[in-house]
Amino acid sequence: MIRVRWLALLLAGGAGCKSAQTAPDAPAGAPPPASPPASEVSSAPAPAGEGAKREKVEREGVTPRDVQLDATEGDASLVRWQVITPFPASNDDIVRPTANAGVIEDQQAADRPREPPAAAKVPIADFLPPAPKPGPLAEPIPADHAGYPADLAKLAMPSDNPQTSDKVALGKKLFFDARLSADGTVSCATCHDPEKGFADALPTSIGIGKQLGQRNAPTVLNAALAETQFWDGRAPTLEEQAKLPITNPIEMGQKAPEDAMKAIAGDATYQAEFQKTFGRAPNFEDVARAIAAYERTLIALDARFDRFLAGDEKALTAQERRGWTLFNGKGNCMSCHALNRTQPLGIDGKFHNIGVAARKQDFVQLARDGLQHVLKGDLETVDRMALETKFSELGRFLVTKQQNDIGAFKTMPLRNVAVTAPYFHDGSAPTLWDVMDHYNKGGEQNPFLDSGMERLGLSEAEIDDLVAFMGALTSQRFEAQAKGAMARQRALSRTKRPLRDTAVALGKNTEGPGVKGPFGDLHPESRAKDAAEIGGRMGGAR
């Protein structure tokens, strides 16, 4: 009854909460954060050519929200602008990113395909490399490594898709086969490249025709242990997750499952392998079963942190141990990312509005506009809304239609996080320092902000310690990549920190934009100085 009543109010244009509270001052004696010299953190000058690109963007009508900053690959000083497909200001015109792939219609624009704005055609050339080829990092990961959760892995195995070596080998081959895409340029590995931590190192992913989606590609490492798939949890299994990108118009672009099968039907090797594995000819459901079987071999928990949990006191550095203490204490990370033998990924299986999308959206108005689509949408419609429209920012709400899920996204694993930048559902945080800056100030206020979001008051040194600890969550298999990635992130964090606001983090500024919301601004309770053992080392030597 409450849900129906709220939906009726939303459609009728009900106003959101307007009450507010004033935050108390920071506790007396709280130490100020140790900030880097001004020469370290400053507004970095735009690289050569950026001004011209901005002028081009402005001249062709792309608004600031349609531009992303990408500084995640190569030299940390490299900053380049990416143009994202803009969306019309009018709710009457919800346009697909490309002209040749149809439209998602608004009720007032049903059956009226439209040409996208000219600004959508600004080239983003050279961002999409050839589909990756399988290398050593693509090999299935043996289960006999430190931290491997045998019991959890067994529970995560579906009874209707048992693992076999033939199925895993077939799934790996399909994972890297770009023929499954409409134009033969995109494979699963395009967005989940083993050399990039089974992600793509882009803010949001690029599909066929160099079309940009609305979501960052999460890694498939350890996805087998997750309860749901995608940022909004719209797929309950890896099998469902494997199917949706193949028929999504801006990912792999096949119009129907049958079209994907036609692309490989003439391959005699596939014919033989499907017969051997499944006892039947190639079909779309078995493609998904094989890919999911391969992805279930990608459980990588053999990090130095796992040796620490097992009793190796020297597995972590002094800085990383300080970070582990902060993680379980002042940093409040463990409230959503508890790490222990029961939950080795550092997730809570829930969805939270942490305010990332509040930097650019009014959730109440956006939910009102999107509700009519959500109510009549099936899984495929939700998939398209999540990747192709401005309603992507509604997050879990697209799936559940529940008010408390507006702007909520899944708690993502912290494992191997050093090699899976950029971060958040929209890839808006290039470094782990940016992630910590966002949490340090309590996120961005909005009516649906998760109740667990609060200012942390972390110093710069404490942020460094927390980031160092997160680096220790990297599998040995990816340590080489992590070392280079962390060095680039650290260099960038010393020159560009757009989300950093020390005054807000300490509670000295409670009136600025995005700070004071309808539910007030509450300072966190004081925390114990050493909480390193909380939620941590269970079952290992002490």
Side-chain angles (χ1 to χ4, degrees), residues 405-466:
D405 282 327
I406 293 178
F409 292 89
K410 186 167 69 173
T411 301
M412 283 298 183
L414 295 181
R415 294 295 188 148
N416 305 299
V417 71
V419 295
T420 57
Y423 308 103
F424 296 141
H425 72 276
D426 58 357
S428 59
T431 74
L432 288 170
W433 280 267
D434 295 308
V435 172
M436 290 309 309
D437 286 342
H438 175 84
Y439 282 108
N440 201 24
K441 62 185 181 182
E444 300 284 343
Q445 286 288 326
N446 68 88
F448 308 102
L449 188 69
D450 192 273
S451 60
M453 292 296 291
E454 57 183 25
R455 291 184 284 108
L456 302 176
L458 296 168
S459 69
E460 187 69 16
E462 288 172 329
I463 290 176
D464 287 345
D465 291 347
L466 271 166

Short mmCIF file of all heavy atoms in Angstrom, two decimals, residues 405-466:
data_model
loop_
_atom_site.label_atom_id
_atom_site.label_comp_id
_atom_site.label_asym_id
_atom_site.label_seq_id
_atom_site.Cartn_x
_atom_site.Cartn_y
_atom_site.Cartn_z
N ASP A 405 15.34 2.87 -3.50
CA ASP A 405 16.38 2.44 -4.42
C ASP A 405 16.72 3.49 -5.46
O ASP A 405 17.51 3.22 -6.38
CB ASP A 405 15.95 1.14 -5.13
CG ASP A 405 16.10 -0.08 -4.24
OD1 ASP A 405 17.03 -0.10 -3.41
OD2 ASP A 405 15.28 -1.02 -4.35
N ILE A 406 16.14 4.68 -5.37
CA ILE A 406 16.45 5.73 -6.33
C ILE A 406 17.92 6.15 -6.16
O ILE A 406 18.36 6.52 -5.08
CB ILE A 406 15.53 6.95 -6.13
CG1 ILE A 406 14.10 6.58 -6.49
CG2 ILE A 406 15.99 8.13 -6.99
CD1 ILE A 406 13.11 7.71 -6.28
N GLY A 407 18.66 6.04 -7.24
CA GLY A 407 20.07 6.41 -7.21
C GLY A 407 20.96 5.43 -6.49
O GLY A 407 22.13 5.74 -6.21
N ALA A 408 20.45 4.24 -6.18
CA ALA A 408 21.24 3.25 -5.44
C ALA A 408 21.92 2.29 -6.40
O ALA A 408 21.32 1.82 -7.37
CB ALA A 408 20.34 2.46 -4.49
N PHE A 409 23.18 2.00 -6.12
CA PHE A 409 23.95 1.06 -6.93
C PHE A 409 24.60 0.02 -6.02
O PHE A 409 24.77 0.24 -4.82
CB PHE A 409 25.01 1.80 -7.74
CG PHE A 409 24.42 2.69 -8.81
CD1 PHE A 409 24.07 4.00 -8.53
CD2 PHE A 409 24.17 2.20 -10.08
CE1 PHE A 409 23.50 4.81 -9.50
CE2 PHE A 409 23.60 2.99 -11.06
CZ PHE A 409 23.26 4.31 -10.77
N LYS A 410 24.96 -1.08 -6.62
CA LYS A 410 25.47 -2.22 -5.86
C LYS A 410 26.80 -1.92 -5.20
O LYS A 410 27.66 -1.23 -5.77
CB LYS A 410 25.61 -3.43 -6.79
CG LYS A 410 25.98 -4.72 -6.10
CD LYS A 410 25.81 -5.93 -7.01
CE LYS A 410 26.82 -5.95 -8.13
NZ LYS A 410 26.75 -7.21 -8.90
N THR A 411 26.96 -2.42 -3.98
CA THR A 411 28.27 -2.38 -3.32
C THR A 411 29.21 -3.29 -4.10
O THR A 411 29.00 -4.49 -4.20
CB THR A 411 28.18 -2.87 -1.87
OG1 THR A 411 27.26 -2.06 -1.16
CG2 THR A 411 29.54 -2.81 -1.19
N MET A 412 30.25 -2.69 -4.67
CA MET A 412 31.17 -3.46 -5.51
C MET A 412 32.32 -4.03 -4.68
O MET A 412 32.75 -3.43 -3.68
CB MET A 412 31.71 -2.58 -6.64
CG MET A 412 30.70 -2.37 -7.75
SD MET A 412 30.26 -3.94 -8.55
CE MET A 412 29.17 -3.38 -9.85
N PRO A 413 32.87 -5.17 -5.11
CA PRO A 413 33.98 -5.78 -4.38
C PRO A 413 35.21 -4.87 -4.36
O PRO A 413 35.46 -4.11 -5.31
CB PRO A 413 34.26 -7.07 -5.17
CG PRO A 413 33.01 -7.34 -5.93
CD PRO A 413 32.43 -6.00 -6.24
N LEU A 414 35.98 -4.97 -3.29
CA LEU A 414 37.24 -4.23 -3.19
C LEU A 414 38.42 -5.05 -3.69
O LEU A 414 39.53 -4.51 -3.83
CB LEU A 414 37.48 -3.80 -1.75
CG LEU A 414 36.48 -2.80 -1.18
CD1 LEU A 414 36.86 -2.43 0.25
CD2 LEU A 414 36.41 -1.54 -2.04
N ARG A 415 38.21 -6.32 -3.92
CA ARG A 415 39.30 -7.15 -4.41
C ARG A 415 39.79 -6.67 -5.76
O ARG A 415 39.02 -6.36 -6.66
CB ARG A 415 38.84 -8.60 -4.53
CG ARG A 415 38.50 -9.25 -3.19
CD ARG A 415 39.75 -9.37 -2.33
NE ARG A 415 39.50 -10.14 -1.11
CZ ARG A 415 40.42 -10.90 -0.53
NH1 ARG A 415 41.64 -10.96 -1.02
NH2 ARG A 415 40.12 -11.56 0.56
N ASN A 416 41.11 -6.58 -5.90
CA ASN A 416 41.78 -6.19 -7.15
C ASN A 416 41.38 -4.78 -7.61
O ASN A 416 41.47 -4.45 -8.79
CB ASN A 416 41.48 -7.21 -8.26
CG ASN A 416 41.84 -8.62 -7.83
OD1 ASN A 416 42.99 -8.92 -7.54
ND2 ASN A 416 40.85 -9.49 -7.78
N VAL A 417 40.95 -3.96 -6.65
CA VAL A 417 40.46 -2.63 -7.00
C VAL A 417 41.56 -1.75 -7.57
O VAL A 417 41.29 -0.80 -8.33
CB VAL A 417 39.80 -1.97 -5.76
CG1 VAL A 417 40.84 -1.59 -4.72
CG2 VAL A 417 38.94 -0.79 -6.15
N ALA A 418 42.81 -2.06 -7.28
CA ALA A 418 43.92 -1.24 -7.79
C ALA A 418 44.02 -1.30 -9.31
O ALA A 418 44.53 -0.36 -9.92
CB ALA A 418 45.24 -1.71 -7.17
N VAL A 419 43.54 -2.38 -9.92
CA VAL A 419 43.69 -2.53 -11.38
C VAL A 419 42.38 -2.34 -12.13
O VAL A 419 42.30 -2.66 -13.32
CB VAL A 419 44.30 -3.91 -11.73
CG1 VAL A 419 45.72 -4.01 -11.20
CG2 VAL A 419 43.44 -5.06 -11.20
N THR A 420 41.36 -1.81 -11.46
CA THR A 420 40.07 -1.68 -12.14
C THR A 420 39.55 -0.24 -12.17
O THR A 420 38.35 -0.01 -12.23
CB THR A 420 39.01 -2.59 -11.47
OG1 THR A 420 38.90 -2.26 -10.08
CG2 THR A 420 39.38 -4.05 -11.62
N ALA A 421 40.46 0.73 -12.12
CA ALA A 421 40.04 2.14 -12.25
C ALA A 421 39.49 2.38 -13.66
O ALA A 421 39.83 1.65 -14.59
CB ALA A 421 41.25 3.04 -12.00
N PRO A 422 38.65 3.41 -13.82
CA PRO A 422 38.14 4.35 -12.83
C PRO A 422 36.97 3.77 -12.05
O PRO A 422 36.51 2.66 -12.35
CB PRO A 422 37.70 5.54 -13.68
CG PRO A 422 37.31 4.93 -14.98
CD PRO A 422 38.25 3.77 -15.19
N TYR A 423 36.46 4.51 -11.08
CA TYR A 423 35.54 3.96 -10.10
C TYR A 423 34.17 4.63 -10.11
O TYR A 423 33.98 5.67 -10.71
CB TYR A 423 36.18 4.08 -8.71
CG TYR A 423 37.57 3.49 -8.68
CD1 TYR A 423 38.69 4.32 -8.69
CD2 TYR A 423 37.77 2.11 -8.68
CE1 TYR A 423 39.98 3.79 -8.69
CE2 TYR A 423 39.05 1.57 -8.69
CZ TYR A 423 40.15 2.41 -8.69
OH TYR A 423 41.41 1.88 -8.70
N PHE A 424 33.24 4.01 -9.41
CA PHE A 424 31.82 4.36 -9.32
C PHE A 424 31.09 3.93 -10.60
O PHE A 424 31.70 3.59 -11.61
CB PHE A 424 31.61 5.85 -9.05
CG PHE A 424 32.13 6.32 -7.72
CD1 PHE A 424 32.75 7.56 -7.60
CD2 PHE A 424 32.00 5.53 -6.59
CE1 PHE A 424 33.23 8.00 -6.37
CE2 PHE A 424 32.48 5.97 -5.36
CZ PHE A 424 33.09 7.20 -5.24
N HIS A 425 29.77 3.97 -10.55
CA HIS A 425 28.97 3.42 -11.64
C HIS A 425 29.16 4.19 -12.94
O HIS A 425 28.94 3.65 -14.02
CB HIS A 425 27.49 3.42 -11.26
CG HIS A 425 26.88 4.78 -11.24
ND1 HIS A 425 26.97 5.62 -10.14
CD2 HIS A 425 26.17 5.48 -12.18
CE1 HIS A 425 26.34 6.76 -10.42
NE2 HIS A 425 25.85 6.70 -11.64
N ASP A 426 29.57 5.45 -12.84
CA ASP A 426 29.77 6.27 -14.03
C ASP A 426 31.23 6.52 -14.34
O ASP A 426 31.55 7.32 -15.22
CB ASP A 426 29.03 7.60 -13.88
CG ASP A 426 29.48 8.40 -12.66
OD1 ASP A 426 30.34 7.89 -11.89
OD2 ASP A 426 28.98 9.52 -12.46
N GLY A 427 32.13 5.85 -13.61
CA GLY A 427 33.55 6.01 -13.86
C GLY A 427 34.05 7.41 -13.58
O GLY A 427 35.06 7.84 -14.14
N SER A 428 33.39 8.13 -12.68
CA SER A 428 33.71 9.54 -12.46
C SER A 428 34.87 9.78 -11.52
O SER A 428 35.28 10.92 -11.32
CB SER A 428 32.47 10.28 -11.93
OG SER A 428 32.01 9.70 -10.71
N ALA A 429 35.41 8.72 -10.91
CA ALA A 429 36.54 8.87 -9.99
C ALA A 429 37.76 8.17 -10.60
O ALA A 429 37.85 6.93 -10.58
CB ALA A 429 36.21 8.26 -8.63
N PRO A 430 38.71 8.91 -11.15
CA PRO A 430 39.87 8.29 -11.80
C PRO A 430 40.78 7.53 -10.85
O PRO A 430 41.46 6.60 -11.25
CB PRO A 430 40.61 9.47 -12.43
CG PRO A 430 39.59 10.56 -12.53
CD PRO A 430 38.69 10.37 -11.35
N THR A 431 40.81 7.93 -9.57
CA THR A 431 41.75 7.31 -8.64
C THR A 431 41.05 6.91 -7.34
O THR A 431 39.96 7.40 -7.02
CB THR A 431 42.91 8.27 -8.28
OG1 THR A 431 42.42 9.29 -7.38
CG2 THR A 431 43.49 8.92 -9.52
N LEU A 432 41.71 6.05 -6.58
CA LEU A 432 41.19 5.68 -5.26
C LEU A 432 41.22 6.87 -4.30
O LEU A 432 40.43 6.92 -3.35
CB LEU A 432 42.00 4.51 -4.69
CG LEU A 432 41.76 3.16 -5.38
CD1 LEU A 432 42.77 2.13 -4.92
CD2 LEU A 432 40.34 2.67 -5.11
N TRP A 433 42.10 7.81 -4.53
CA TRP A 433 42.10 9.04 -3.72
C TRP A 433 40.82 9.84 -3.97
O TRP A 433 40.25 10.40 -3.04
CB TRP A 433 43.34 9.89 -4.05
CG TRP A 433 44.58 9.41 -3.37
CD1 TRP A 433 45.08 9.84 -2.16
CD2 TRP A 433 45.49 8.41 -3.83
NE1 TRP A 433 46.24 9.17 -1.86
CE2 TRP A 433 46.53 8.29 -2.87
CE3 TRP A 433 45.56 7.60 -4.96
CZ2 TRP A 433 47.59 7.39 -3.01
CZ3 TRP A 433 46.62 6.71 -5.11
CH2 TRP A 433 47.61 6.62 -4.13
N ASP A 434 40.35 9.87 -5.22
CA ASP A 434 39.09 10.54 -5.52
C ASP A 434 37.92 9.83 -4.82
O ASP A 434 37.00 10.48 -4.32
CB ASP A 434 38.85 10.58 -7.03
CG ASP A 434 39.87 11.42 -7.76
OD1 ASP A 434 40.07 12.58 -7.37
OD2 ASP A 434 40.47 10.91 -8.72
N VAL A 435 37.96 8.51 -4.81
CA VAL A 435 36.92 7.75 -4.12
C VAL A 435 36.89 8.12 -2.64
O VAL A 435 35.82 8.39 -2.06
CB VAL A 435 37.16 6.23 -4.27
CG1 VAL A 435 36.21 5.43 -3.39
CG2 VAL A 435 37.02 5.81 -5.73
N MET A 436 38.06 8.17 -2.03
CA MET A 436 38.12 8.52 -0.60
C MET A 436 37.69 9.96 -0.35
O MET A 436 37.06 10.26 0.67
CB MET A 436 39.53 8.27 -0.07
CG MET A 436 39.92 6.80 0.04
SD MET A 436 38.68 5.80 0.91
CE MET A 436 38.43 6.74 2.43
N ASP A 437 38.01 10.86 -1.27
CA ASP A 437 37.56 12.25 -1.12
C ASP A 437 36.04 12.33 -1.11
O ASP A 437 35.44 13.10 -0.35
CB ASP A 437 38.11 13.12 -2.26
CG ASP A 437 39.60 13.41 -2.11
OD1 ASP A 437 40.13 13.25 -0.99
OD2 ASP A 437 40.23 13.79 -3.11
N HIS A 438 35.40 11.54 -1.96
CA HIS A 438 33.94 11.53 -2.01
C HIS A 438 33.36 11.06 -0.67
O HIS A 438 32.45 11.69 -0.12
CB HIS A 438 33.47 10.61 -3.14
CG HIS A 438 31.99 10.43 -3.20
ND1 HIS A 438 31.17 11.32 -3.84
CD2 HIS A 438 31.18 9.46 -2.69
CE1 HIS A 438 29.90 10.92 -3.72
NE2 HIS A 438 29.88 9.80 -3.03
N TYR A 439 33.88 9.95 -0.16
CA TYR A 439 33.38 9.42 1.11
C TYR A 439 33.76 10.31 2.29
O TYR A 439 33.01 10.43 3.25
CB TYR A 439 33.91 8.01 1.33
CG TYR A 439 33.19 6.96 0.54
CD1 TYR A 439 33.79 6.34 -0.55
CD2 TYR A 439 31.91 6.56 0.89
CE1 TYR A 439 33.12 5.36 -1.28
CE2 TYR A 439 31.23 5.59 0.17
CZ TYR A 439 31.85 4.99 -0.92
OH TYR A 439 31.19 4.03 -1.64
N ASN A 440 34.93 10.93 2.21
CA ASN A 440 35.42 11.73 3.33
C ASN A 440 34.48 12.89 3.65
O ASN A 440 34.30 13.27 4.81
CB ASN A 440 36.82 12.25 3.02
CG ASN A 440 37.58 12.64 4.28
OD1 ASN A 440 37.30 12.15 5.38
ND2 ASN A 440 38.57 13.51 4.14
N LYS A 441 33.84 13.45 2.63
CA LYS A 441 32.92 14.56 2.85
C LYS A 441 31.47 14.09 2.98
O LYS A 441 30.55 14.91 3.01
CB LYS A 441 33.04 15.60 1.74
CG LYS A 441 32.69 15.09 0.35
CD LYS A 441 32.96 16.16 -0.70
CE LYS A 441 32.59 15.68 -2.09
NZ LYS A 441 32.91 16.70 -3.13
N GLY A 442 31.27 12.78 3.04
CA GLY A 442 29.91 12.26 3.23
C GLY A 442 29.09 12.16 1.97
O GLY A 442 27.86 12.11 2.03
N GLY A 443 29.75 12.11 0.81
CA GLY A 443 29.04 12.03 -0.45
C GLY A 443 28.38 13.33 -0.83
O GLY A 443 28.74 14.40 -0.34
N GLU A 444 27.42 13.26 -1.74
CA GLU A 444 26.66 14.43 -2.18
C GLU A 444 25.24 14.30 -1.64
O GLU A 444 24.57 13.29 -1.85
CB GLU A 444 26.63 14.51 -3.70
CG GLU A 444 27.99 14.64 -4.35
CD GLU A 444 28.58 16.02 -4.24
OE1 GLU A 444 27.81 16.96 -3.94
OE2 GLU A 444 29.81 16.17 -4.44
N GLN A 445 24.78 15.33 -0.94
CA GLN A 445 23.47 15.27 -0.33
C GLN A 445 22.36 15.17 -1.37
O GLN A 445 22.40 15.82 -2.42
CB GLN A 445 23.24 16.51 0.54
CG GLN A 445 24.01 16.49 1.85
CD GLN A 445 23.46 15.49 2.83
OE1 GLN A 445 22.26 15.26 2.88
NE2 GLN A 445 24.32 14.90 3.63
N ASN A 446 21.37 14.33 -1.09
CA ASN A 446 20.17 14.23 -1.91
C ASN A 446 19.11 13.55 -1.06
O ASN A 446 19.43 12.92 -0.04
CB ASN A 446 20.45 13.46 -3.21
CG ASN A 446 20.76 12.00 -2.96
OD1 ASN A 446 19.86 11.15 -2.91
ND2 ASN A 446 22.05 11.67 -2.81
N PRO A 447 17.83 13.67 -1.39
CA PRO A 447 16.78 13.13 -0.52
C PRO A 447 16.85 11.64 -0.27
O PRO A 447 16.23 11.14 0.67
CB PRO A 447 15.49 13.50 -1.28
CG PRO A 447 15.86 14.64 -2.13
CD PRO A 447 17.28 14.42 -2.52
N PHE A 448 17.59 10.91 -1.12
CA PHE A 448 17.62 9.47 -1.00
C PHE A 448 19.00 8.95 -0.59
O PHE A 448 19.29 7.76 -0.72
CB PHE A 448 17.19 8.83 -2.32
CG PHE A 448 15.89 9.37 -2.83
CD1 PHE A 448 15.85 10.31 -3.84
CD2 PHE A 448 14.69 8.98 -2.26
CE1 PHE A 448 14.66 10.83 -4.30
CE2 PHE A 448 13.48 9.49 -2.71
CZ PHE A 448 13.46 10.42 -3.72
N LEU A 449 19.85 9.84 -0.07
CA LEU A 449 21.19 9.45 0.34
C LEU A 449 21.12 8.37 1.43
O LEU A 449 20.32 8.45 2.35
CB LEU A 449 21.95 10.67 0.88
CG LEU A 449 23.44 10.46 1.19
CD1 LEU A 449 24.23 10.27 -0.09
CD2 LEU A 449 23.99 11.66 1.96
N ASP A 450 21.97 7.37 1.30
CA ASP A 450 21.99 6.28 2.26
C ASP A 450 22.29 6.81 3.66
O ASP A 450 23.15 7.68 3.85
CB ASP A 450 23.05 5.26 1.85
CG ASP A 450 22.95 3.97 2.63
OD1 ASP A 450 23.55 3.90 3.71
OD2 ASP A 450 22.27 3.04 2.17
N SER A 451 21.59 6.27 4.65
CA SER A 451 21.74 6.77 6.03
C SER A 451 23.13 6.52 6.59
O SER A 451 23.52 7.15 7.57
CB SER A 451 20.70 6.11 6.94
OG SER A 451 20.86 4.69 6.95
N GLY A 452 23.88 5.61 5.99
CA GLY A 452 25.23 5.33 6.48
C GLY A 452 26.28 6.31 6.00
O GLY A 452 27.42 6.28 6.47
N MET A 453 25.91 7.20 5.09
CA MET A 453 26.87 8.18 4.58
C MET A 453 27.04 9.31 5.59
O MET A 453 26.08 9.96 5.99
CB MET A 453 26.39 8.74 3.24
CG MET A 453 26.42 7.73 2.10
SD MET A 453 28.09 7.15 1.70
CE MET A 453 28.79 8.64 1.00
N GLU A 454 28.28 9.54 6.01
CA GLU A 454 28.57 10.58 6.99
C GLU A 454 29.98 11.10 6.76
O GLU A 454 30.83 10.42 6.17
CB GLU A 454 28.46 10.02 8.40
CG GLU A 454 29.37 8.82 8.64
CD GLU A 454 29.20 8.21 10.01
OE1 GLU A 454 28.12 8.35 10.61
OE2 GLU A 454 30.16 7.58 10.49
N ARG A 455 30.21 12.32 7.21
CA ARG A 455 31.55 12.88 7.09
C ARG A 455 32.53 12.07 7.93
O ARG A 455 32.20 11.61 9.03
CB ARG A 455 31.57 14.34 7.55
CG ARG A 455 30.81 15.26 6.61
CD ARG A 455 30.91 16.71 7.03
NE ARG A 455 30.06 16.99 8.18
CZ ARG A 455 30.52 17.22 9.41
NH1 ARG A 455 31.83 17.19 9.64
NH2 ARG A 455 29.70 17.50 10.40
N LEU A 456 33.75 11.90 7.41
CA LEU A 456 34.73 11.05 8.09
C LEU A 456 35.85 11.82 8.76
O LEU A 456 36.45 11.34 9.72
CB LEU A 456 35.33 10.05 7.09
CG LEU A 456 34.31 9.13 6.39
CD1 LEU A 456 35.02 8.26 5.35
CD2 LEU A 456 33.57 8.27 7.40
N GLY A 457 36.18 12.99 8.25
CA GLY A 457 37.25 13.78 8.85
C GLY A 457 38.62 13.15 8.74
O GLY A 457 39.47 13.31 9.62
N LEU A 458 38.87 12.43 7.66
CA LEU A 458 40.17 11.78 7.46
C LEU A 458 41.21 12.79 7.01
O LEU A 458 40.94 13.66 6.18
CB LEU A 458 40.05 10.68 6.42
CG LEU A 458 39.16 9.49 6.76
CD1 LEU A 458 38.92 8.64 5.51
CD2 LEU A 458 39.77 8.64 7.87
N SER A 459 42.42 12.67 7.54
CA SER A 459 43.53 13.50 7.09
C SER A 459 44.08 12.93 5.79
O SER A 459 43.78 11.80 5.39
CB SER A 459 44.64 13.53 8.15
OG SER A 459 45.26 12.24 8.24
N GLU A 460 44.93 13.72 5.13
CA GLU A 460 45.55 13.25 3.89
C GLU A 460 46.40 12.01 4.14
O GLU A 460 46.40 11.06 3.34
CB GLU A 460 46.39 14.36 3.27
CG GLU A 460 46.94 14.02 1.88
CD GLU A 460 45.85 13.95 0.82
OE1 GLU A 460 44.73 14.44 1.06
OE2 GLU A 460 46.13 13.39 -0.26
N ALA A 461 47.10 11.99 5.26
CA ALA A 461 47.93 10.82 5.59
C ALA A 461 47.06 9.59 5.81
O ALA A 461 47.43 8.47 5.41
CB ALA A 461 48.77 11.11 6.83
N GLU A 462 45.90 9.78 6.43
CA GLU A 462 45.01 8.64 6.66
C GLU A 462 44.41 8.13 5.35
O GLU A 462 44.24 6.92 5.16
CB GLU A 462 43.90 9.06 7.63
CG GLU A 462 44.40 9.22 9.06
CD GLU A 462 43.36 9.82 9.99
OE1 GLU A 462 42.54 10.63 9.52
OE2 GLU A 462 43.38 9.48 11.19
N ILE A 463 44.11 9.04 4.44
CA ILE A 463 43.63 8.62 3.11
C ILE A 463 44.72 7.81 2.41
O ILE A 463 44.45 6.77 1.79
CB ILE A 463 43.20 9.84 2.28
CG1 ILE A 463 41.92 10.43 2.85
CG2 ILE A 463 43.01 9.46 0.82
CD1 ILE A 463 41.46 11.70 2.16
N ASP A 464 45.97 8.28 2.48
CA ASP A 464 47.07 7.52 1.89
C ASP A 464 47.15 6.11 2.47
O ASP A 464 47.38 5.14 1.75
CB ASP A 464 48.40 8.24 2.13
CG ASP A 464 48.56 9.49 1.27
OD1 ASP A 464 47.78 9.65 0.29
OD2 ASP A 464 49.45 10.31 1.57
N ASP A 465 46.96 5.99 3.77
CA ASP A 465 47.03 4.68 4.42
C ASP A 465 45.91 3.76 3.95
O ASP A 465 46.11 2.57 3.69
CB ASP A 465 46.97 4.83 5.94
CG ASP A 465 48.22 5.49 6.52
OD1 ASP A 465 49.23 5.60 5.80
OD2 ASP A 465 48.17 5.88 7.71
N LEU A 466 44.71 4.31 3.84
CA LEU A 466 43.58 3.51 3.38
C LEU A 466 43.77 3.04 1.95
O LEU A 466 43.49 1.88 1.62
CB LEU A 466 42.29 4.32 3.50
CG LEU A 466 41.55 4.21 4.83
CD1 LEU A 466 40.50 5.31 4.94
CD2 LEU A 466 40.89 2.85 4.98
#
